[in-house]
Structures are given as structure tokens and as C-alpha cells.
Amino acid sequence: MSLNQNDSIAEELSRLLLVPQNGMSTQIAQVSHRLTLIDEWGGVQSGVKIVELGCGQGDCTIALANAVGERGLVNAIDPAPPSYGAPFTVRQAQQHITSGALGKRINWIAGDPLDVLSKDSSPATTYDIGILAHCLWYFSNPSVIRQTFERLGSTCKRVYVAEWALSASKPTGLPHVFAALTQASLECRKPQSDSNVRTVSSPAAIRKLAEEAGLKMVKESTFTPNNGLLDGKWEVSAVASAGFVKEVEDNVKDERERSVVFALRDSVLRSLEAVGGRDSLTSMDVWCAVFERA
């Protein structure tokens, strides 16, 4: 599917979502990106049954529901409480989608994905595809990622993965790479984290975890996302903020460890200057992979 086609479909699908305060153009870019992920995986056939982990407010879910057609189904699982999220909660966003044209194709499930999948082990609950789209960095540690791959391998014919690549084909995406690593250096020093960057794993590390779980990679690709995707700007702004400095001071007591986190933050700030400031920022590359049972 061409970029222009994706943008056209993304605009139509975005009208089925609650529009965020930063506007329709931001939402269209997010949905268009999810359509690109589907293309990079090799497409989703009409009529298939999908389980999506870490669905959140449904940016990827709506793209998957569009792809599976009237005979398909998306079971969308997220561990966040229904009241989580702003300016709209997870419940508000999901209920809005349910009331729309594609709502009947989606079954929203609130709960820990591993717990839900453990109950989804009968032949009647076997899925054609398991989806992990930009959610692995939310996991608490690599062991949980491996366990999730094991469970998906027993319930899904194929597993589709998309995550930030920790590389940037464009220099303007490098601050996003540094910002992600900087946030991870702080979050791994907290006893608990609710950040969207908790366990940073590279494509090579994710592939290794999947293989340890009994999966084999059959396809992979890396691409540069569209300039309308603002994740790079959001993550860099978070690291550059005074709030981040306070979090480091509150949570990192060892002076050598604190020095490492602040050195990483400085690298973000210097790289931001090098690319011409926040307005020039883009997001880093994205890695997509398809796995099957070994």
C-alpha cells in the first residue's frame, strides 16, 4: 500500500477515534504509522483472528480491525486500569471505538496479557496472529517478554513485532535514540516504573528472546517513520524537562550512577542543538519482524 493510500485510510479511521488535544493531524500520523506496520509485516488477511497485546487506546487496534474485515476478530488486551490515560481514559477511548463502524470486530480485554493468554489455550482460542506493536518497552523486564513470546507461540500461528530500532537513518532521529536510552537508564534504577520506557530492548535482544521462547524469525525490516509521528519530540522533551532532573535526583542516590544518567541527558541536549532544535526532530527508525513456531 502506498504512503498516500495509507494517509487516506488513516484519515478515515482516525474519525472513529477520540481526537486528542494536539489535533487530528497527529492522530492521522499515528494511525498511518500502524498501517505501515501492517504493510511491513506483509499484510493482514481478511477473516483472520488476532490477539493484540498492549492495545492502549486503540491506535493500532483500529487499523487491525479494518484489515481483518467483517469476518475477522481482534482480541485487544491491555493491563492498564480502565481509568488510566489523559485527556481520555482507556475506557473512554475504547468505548468510543466500540460505538463506531468497526466496533463489532473488537473484543477489549483488561488484564495482564500473560494471565489472559494462559486462559486462552484451547483450540477454540487459537489465533492466526499475535501482535506486539510498540509495547515491549512497557514490559517490566526481559524475562516477562520471553514468557510472553512463549505463550504467544503456543496460541498463535504467527507473531508480528514492531518496536523502535535504536537506530536512526536520519541524523534528526538520533536525539530520540539518546532520549530513549537516557530514560531507560533512569527507569531501571527505580523499584517500580510507570514510564513508557521501562525495559529498552534492541532488535537483536528481542530476536534472541523470541528464539529462546521457541520462535524463529521469518521476516524483518527497518524503516524510517513519517515526519508527522511525534514520538521523538515527546521523548526528547521529557528528558530535557526539569521534571526529569528532579526524578533523577529523587531516585538515583549513587553518585556514579547519577553521573551516567546526567551524561546521557547531556548527550540528548547536545544532539538536539546539532540538529537545529526541537522543530527539526524526527523519530528514530522502526524495526518490524515476523516470527513462527520453530
Side-chain angles (χ1 to χ4, degrees):
M1 189 180 297
S2 70
L3 183 59
N4 288 338
Q5 284 178 304
N6 272 352
D7 286 344
S8 177
I9 297 172
E11 182 173 358
E12 181 181 347
L13 294 177
S14 292
R15 298 188 188 281
L16 301 175
L17 303 170
L18 286 171
V19 179
Q21 290 177 326
N22 46 15
M24 179 62 85
S25 62
T26 299
Q27 188 63 72
I28 291 171
Q30 289 289 335
V31 176
S32 180
H33 177 64
R34 272 63 183 184
L35 293 170
T36 301
L37 298 183
I38 293 173
D39 289 342
E40 292 290 324
W41 288 324
V44 169
Q45 292 183 337
S46 177
V48 299
K49 185 177 180 182
I50 287 175
V51 59
E52 179 197 6
L53 307 191
C55 62
Q57 298 200 352
D59 289 353
C60 190
T61 314
I62 201 74
L64 294 169
N66 180 67
V68 300
E70 294 181 358
R71 296 181 296 107
L73 176 69
V74 180
N75 276 357
I77 307 171
D78 199 281
S83 60
Y84 176 81
F88 310 115
T89 66
V90 169
R91 175 185 283 126
Q92 288 172 326
Q94 293 177 355
Q95 286 180 341
H96 184 80
I97 294 173
T98 296
S99 67
L102 302 181
K104 292 182 179 179
R105 306 178 188 181
I106 303 167
N107 180 29
W108 305 104
I109 304 171
D112 179 85
L114 277 176
D115 291 341
V116 175
L117 289 172
S118 294
K119 299 172 184 176
D120 254 8
S121 56
S122 67
T125 54
T126 296
Y127 297 97
D128 296 291
I129 305 169
I131 302 286
L132 293 160
H134 288 300
C135 67
L136 291 177
W137 287 9
Y138 286 82
F139 282 50
S140 57
N141 57 61
S143 294
V144 175
I145 295 176
R146 186 180 63 251
Q147 292 170 29
T148 302
F149 276 130
E150 289 173 353
R151 177 49 58 186
L152 287 174
S154 67
T155 59
C156 302
K157 297 175 184 176
R158 282 193 160 197
V159 178
Y160 291 178
V161 177
E163 197 49 87
W164 300 109
L166 291 177
S167 63
S169 299
K170 295 180 179 179
T172 50
L174 284 172
H176 186 196
V177 177
F178 299 149
L181 295 173
T182 304
Q183 287 191 65
S185 73
L186 167 62
E187 297 304 319
C188 73
R189 290 171 169 83
K190 293 181 179 179
Q192 289 186 325
S193 171
D194 59 2
S195 168
N196 58 350
V197 182
R198 303 175 197 179
T199 300
V200 166
S201 297
S202 67
I206 295 170
R207 184 166 57 245
K208 184 173 184 292
L209 290 169
E211 290 171 349
E212 289 174 352
L215 299 175
K216 64 177 180 179
M217 189 178 70
V218 296
K219 177 184 173 71
E220 70 173 333
S221 62
T222 303
F223 71 95
T224 303
N226 65 71
N227 288 341
L229 205 66
L230 301 182
D231 296 66
K233 291 183 179 181
W234 294 334
E235 301 301 346
V236 170
S237 294
V239 169
S241 70
F244 183 85
V245 173
K246 186 176 187 308
E247 276 201 83
V248 176
E249 292 172 344
D250 290 345
N251 291 281
V252 186
K253 301 306 180 184
D254 184 276
E255 64 176 340
R256 290 185 305 164
E257 292 184 350
R258 185 184 296 185
S259 177
V260 169
V261 179
F262 280 136
L264 285 165
R265 181 176 182 269
D266 287 341
S267 74
V268 174
L269 299 179
R270 298 293 79 77
S271 65
L272 180 60
E273 290 178 2
V275 302
R278 187 179 185 277
D279 289 343
S280 300
L281 280 175
T282 57
S283 297
M284 73 173 93
D285 295 344
V286 175
W287 175 72
C288 291
V290 175
F291 294 92
E292 293 180 348
R293 300 169 190 168

